[in-house]
Amino acid sequence: MAYQVLARKYRPRRFADVAGQDHVTVTLMNALTQQRIAHGYIFSGHRGIGKTTIARILAAALNCRNPIGSELRPLAEPCEVCESCTEIRAGNAVDVIEIDAATNRGIDEIRELRDAARYRPSRDRYKIYILDEAHQITDAAFNALLKTLEEPPDHVIFMMATTQPEDIPQTVRSRCQHFSFHAVKLVDILGEIRAIAAHENVDTDEAALALLAEAGDGSMRDALSIMDQAIASAPVEDGRPRLVAQQIRELMGTVPNAVFERILQAVNDNNSAEVMTTANQLLDAGNSPAQLARQAVRYLRNSLIAKISGLTPESAEGGAAAELLQISPDEQRRAARTAALFTEEELTRFLQTMLRTFDELGYRQEQRFHFELGLLKLVHLRRLLPVEEVLSQLAGGGGGSAPRAQSAVRPVAAAPAPRPTAPAAPADTRPAFSPFADTPNRERFQGISVGHQPEPVPVAKTAPPVAAPLPVAPPVPVAPPVAVAAPVSPPPALGVPPVVAASPLATPPGAAQPVAAPVEVVSPFSAPSTPPPPVPAPAPIPVAPPAAVASPFSAPAPATPVAAPPAPAPSAPGEPASHLQDAVVDALSNAKQGSASDAIGDANFILDGDTLKIQTMLSKIMLGVVVNADAEKILRLAVRQAGGPVNITLLPADPAMKAAEKKAKAPRSGSAQAKAMEHPIVQRAQSLFQAEIRNVIDLRED
């Protein structure tokens, strides 16, 4: 007799022999006992789990010649000894017709079947049609079978086996009893192949059996087919084949999961070199990138399930996690160890990345490069922080967990640092008189010196103690008063008594004297610089008697008379903020937001306490269209960089004031409207015809 593969040799002959489908076998046996036989059945489910096998067993039970409850047939199982049972098991029964619907799928074949169904069975009780792969039948053929399925003759029973029940028309499914088969559990497959190995005199270990059961992936037929290959390639010891795990892995072209555990350990350690080295060893050994990616996906899925179910290496046997994982206890402990390294969100991102990599490998040319790229993405994903944590840090720095040491976050634009302010002087060293005592913006003047722009000046945190008044130089003869631009008094140094000087001017020795008597003031805030040309003063100011003050904080520096530039005063509440408006308009123009730039250029910027109100000339609907989300983001960033407040409110146009504000508002400097207003022809037209410029279109090239 020719050799039979294990899947055919050990095909179940009774309902009790079918593994993992108790919900189907119990129902069918009860229906046979109660004589509640339907005229149509649909068996659907995964490949190799017993759909066609149960259809044959049911056909044998229906046509068995021994009645249920007899000595040869005490239960609803077929007796396996009568002529009908033996013929059905051999596949040559006359009244049990098994049709491959994948090849006989047309309307002509179904019409022949329908015509043949009218005749009674030649010998048995029922004429049974088993349609394998029934989803391949065309819609027209199903429509031709509808009437027969709905009202068939009493002697005809249809059984349809399919892996895709959704492809069968609903009108056909509603006329049949539908049984959905389950994937066979790992323990059931493991028990079957262990019994078959003992019956076939094959020496195996538990690791090899677990590997064969996992390779079946819920399909009993797949597991037996791989076992048949493994027995054929196994070494023979004492006349008995011996199955080992390493030999089975080489046969299937897989690698041990310890490799993926090592890769994910390197991902946790942020070690890209170790990940790439391991991947290079796997690929150089001849492993397929697609197969490796598939194994990585399965391993990540098992690790994610272990994380969700709370599986630990100590509790790796039994429980709900074992039902979800369907892997051996050793592999459960391995998945638990990997799950302990990452969070549930990280494992989800890893699984999504590897799934995308596995999909891309199907149509990419350089599969090796894409597989390596997928593994590197896992390392990069490990460096990311959750969005919630980043947002909580931006909001106030609280509420989020501490970032990992090896993690790196994308640079986020931080708020501008506050301007340095001088700490208040102690009460006992406060000078009796200071021109800046009641000035709210005294920090703006701390960096002003003669002939220099304001610069931030470091101020000591604590003032040095003053033991005695500083010595004062003898008075210098003074000529008539000297005209200067503006008397600027330096801010009092900490711990130094204030000196009121007539002019903070100094003339280097030997230089030409443009005035009768120079006055030298030594200040701890001034720095040496090249003297600029003298600036004529607008009006003479009487000068008090000069005084030379010696200070341990000062250094003599020559200077010439020059008007100190006034420091910009802060905007008061309700006061326009033109500098913020210019910064926003420039930022929008640079970002190619022309419409938003024009709208903001025509708006009014008003500071109201710690809120910046932007009164636009747009309606409420057009405001959201012109100043979109990107433009608003650029606007807020520009205001923050210009030192403006954080709270910004965009206001639509007031219909009552829109016309008046538009008429009264002057064009922005440098804009197309401003240039048009400066043109002599436009000015002449305005004067002659009392013309008004309503709209200006800029046609200049960028």
Side-chain angles (χ1 to χ4, degrees):
M1 181 179 177
Y3 173 74
Q4 272 190 325
V5 296
L6 298 178
R8 292 185 60 193
K9 183 178 181 180
Y10 293 96
R11 193 167 197 167
R13 300 178 181 179
R14 304 168 67 249
F15 287 118
D17 297 337
V18 180
Q21 309 300 337
D22 295 340
H23 65 293
V24 177
T25 56
V26 171
T27 304
L28 292 178
M29 289 180 66
N30 291 339
L32 289 169
T33 304
Q34 301 171 13
Q35 294 297 314
R36 304 176 67 89
I37 310 300
H39 58 270
Y41 294 93
I42 295 178
F43 300 143
S44 66
H46 196 51
R47 68 185 184 277
I49 56 177
K51 299 184 298 295
T52 308
T53 298
I54 287 184
R56 292 179 179 178
I57 296 173
L58 179 59
L62 288 171
N63 286 339
C64 183
R65 297 189 179 183
N66 295 313
I68 299 175
S70 62
E71 182 180 356
L72 295 177
R73 190 187 179 189
L75 299 176
E77 299 276 8
C79 69
E80 302 184 49
V81 295
C82 68
E83 188 177 358
S84 296
C85 291
T86 55
E87 288 181 355
I88 292 173
R89 184 171 64 248
N92 52 15
V94 177
D95 295 323
V96 178
I97 302 98
E98 188 169 346
I99 300 174
D100 180 17
T103 55
N104 301 280
R105 59 194 299 267
I107 190 172
D108 295 333
E109 291 83 356
I110 298 300
R111 282 173 178 170
E112 293 177 3
L113 183 151
R114 184 186 59 185
D115 295 339
R118 293 181 300 175
Y119 302 101
R120 298 193 62 84
S122 59
R123 184 191 60 191
D124 296 329
R125 185 185 310 170
Y126 296 102
K127 179 176 285 189
I128 301 172
Y129 290 92
I130 300 177
L131 303 177
D132 201 5
E133 301 296 331
H135 62 275
Q136 300 281 2
I137 299 176
T138 62
D139 292 340
F142 269 126
N143 292 332
L145 191 62
L146 276 179
K147 193 63 177 177
T148 306
L149 276 175
E150 186 173 10
E151 298 177 358
D154 296 339
H155 59 271
V156 174
I157 295 177
F158 291 96
M159 301 180 188
M160 289 177 280
T162 177
T163 57
Q164 301 177 19
E166 63 276 2
D167 291 344
I168 297 178
Q170 183 64 36
T171 53
V172 174
R173 282 185 283 171
S174 64
R175 289 167 168 82
C176 303
Q177 289 187 8
H178 187 184
F179 289 88
S180 180
F181 284 52
H182 299 164
V184 186
K185 295 181 180 180
L186 180 76
V187 292
D188 294 332
I189 299 178
L190 198 58
E192 289 291 329
I193 61 177
R194 184 183 291 112
I196 292 174
H199 194 272
E200 292 287 327
N201 296 322
V202 177
D203 294 334
T204 61
D205 54 14
E206 286 299 320
L209 291 177
L211 190 59
L212 290 173
E214 292 174 18
D217 194 18
S219 172
M220 183 68 72
R221 184 175 61 209
D222 290 358
L224 292 178
S225 298
I226 298 172
M227 185 178 182
D228 224 339
Q229 286 181 269
I231 293 174
S233 63
V236 179
E237 298 178 2
D238 298 332
R240 294 164 61 95
R242 179 168 183 79
L243 298 180
V244 293
Q246 181 61 30
Q247 172 239 343
I248 296 174
R249 287 195 186 97
E250 293 177 356
L251 179 66
M252 296 188 302
T254 60
V255 296
N257 284 334
V259 174
F260 298 103
E261 183 183 11
R262 187 165 68 248
I263 289 177
L264 289 175
Q265 180 64 49
V267 170
N268 179 64
D269 298 337
N270 197 20
N271 192 348
S272 302
E274 177 66 20
V275 172
M276 296 305 295
T277 301
T278 306
N280 183 67
Q281 294 173 354
L282 294 175
L283 295 171
D284 288 347
N287 295 289
S288 169
Q291 179 64 24
L292 292 175
R294 182 175 181 272
Q295 279 192 261
V297 167
R298 293 180 62 87
Y299 187 76
L300 285 170
R301 181 262 176 192
N302 293 338
S303 301
L304 179 59
I305 295 299
K307 187 70 176 181
I308 294 173
S309 59
L311 185 68
T312 61
E314 293 76 18
S315 61
E317 295 186 10
E323 292 291 330
L324 292 172
L325 290 174
Q326 292 295 310
I327 54 179
S328 63
D330 290 339
E331 292 300 327
Q332 292 181 29
R333 285 188 285 269
R334 191 186 310 279
R337 288 195 298 268
T338 301
L341 301 176
F342 307 100
T343 64
E344 182 180 331
E345 291 79 6
E346 288 172 336
L347 289 172
T348 303
R349 288 196 293 266
F350 292 168
L351 180 58
Q352 184 180 20
T353 300
M354 289 310 300
L355 278 172
R356 188 180 300 113
T357 302
F358 178 68
D359 291 339
E360 291 177 353
L361 290 177
Y363 56 89
R364 298 293 187 180
Q365 294 295 328
E366 298 291 344
Q367 291 190 349
R368 179 190 183 112
F369 300 158
H370 287 278
F371 176 68
E372 293 173 342
L373 179 61
L375 294 180
L376 280 180
K377 286 180 181 179
L378 302 185
V379 183
H380 298 164
L381 288 174
R382 178 62 170 161
R383 300 171 184 171
L384 298 180
L385 286 178
V387 177
E388 296 82 3
E389 185 175 341
V390 177
L391 293 178
S392 64
Q393 292 177 0
L394 290 179
S401 59
R404 295 181 296 269
Q406 69 271 23
S407 301
V409 188
R410 292 183 179 178
V412 181
R419 299 178 181 177
T421 57
D428 56 344
T429 60
R430 187 180 181 89
F433 169 77
S434 173
F436 301 99
D438 299 328
T439 304
N441 298 314
R442 60 181 298 177
E443 66 274 9
R444 294 179 177 268
F445 300 91
Q446 287 183 356
I448 298 178
S449 61
V450 178
H452 296 280
Q453 294 293 332
E455 297 178 357
V457 178
V459 180
K461 293 184 178 180
T462 58
V466 179
L470 296 176
V472 180
V476 181
V478 182
V482 181
V484 296
V488 179
S489 299
L494 296 178
V496 180
V499 178
V500 180
S503 173
L505 306 176
T507 306
Q513 302 291 335
V515 295
V519 179
E520 179 178 357
V521 177
V522 182
S523 171
F525 301 95
S526 61
S529 62
T530 304
V535 179
I541 299 176
V543 181
V549 180
S551 173
F553 304 98
S554 62
T560 54
V562 61
S571 300
E575 184 178 350
S578 59
H579 64 288
L580 297 179
Q581 185 174 11
D582 294 339
V584 172
V585 170
D586 293 340
L588 291 174
S589 300
N590 295 335
K592 305 300 182 181
Q593 295 280 353
S595 301
S597 175
D598 294 340
I600 297 302
D602 295 336
N604 291 328
F605 278 54
I606 301 174
L607 278 174
D608 187 3
D610 58 349
T611 303
L612 174 63
K613 295 182 178 181
I614 303 178
Q615 180 69 53
T616 64
M617 302 296 292
L618 302 172
S619 63
K620 186 175 181 180
I621 297 177
M622 291 302 298
L623 179 60
V625 176
V626 176
V627 185
N628 52 27
D630 294 337
E632 186 175 353
K633 186 183 301 182
I634 297 171
L635 181 147
R636 294 182 181 275
L637 181 60
V639 171
R640 291 173 60 186
Q641 291 178 350
V646 178
N647 299 327
I648 301 172
T649 304
L650 287 171
L651 301 175
D654 187 359
M657 301 176 60
K658 184 175 180 180
E661 289 185 2
K662 184 176 180 181
K663 183 176 181 180
K665 184 174 178 64
R668 185 172 59 88
S669 177
S671 63
Q673 186 173 0
K675 291 184 177 296
M677 295 288 290
E678 295 172 359
H679 200 279
I681 297 179
V682 175
Q683 295 177 356
R684 183 64 176 168
Q686 286 181 311
S687 62
L688 288 177
F689 307 104
Q690 299 298 319
E692 179 184 0
I693 298 178
R694 296 291 183 85
N695 190 19
V696 176
I697 300 175
D698 190 1
L699 300 178
R700 296 172 298 179
E701 296 181 358
D702 294 337

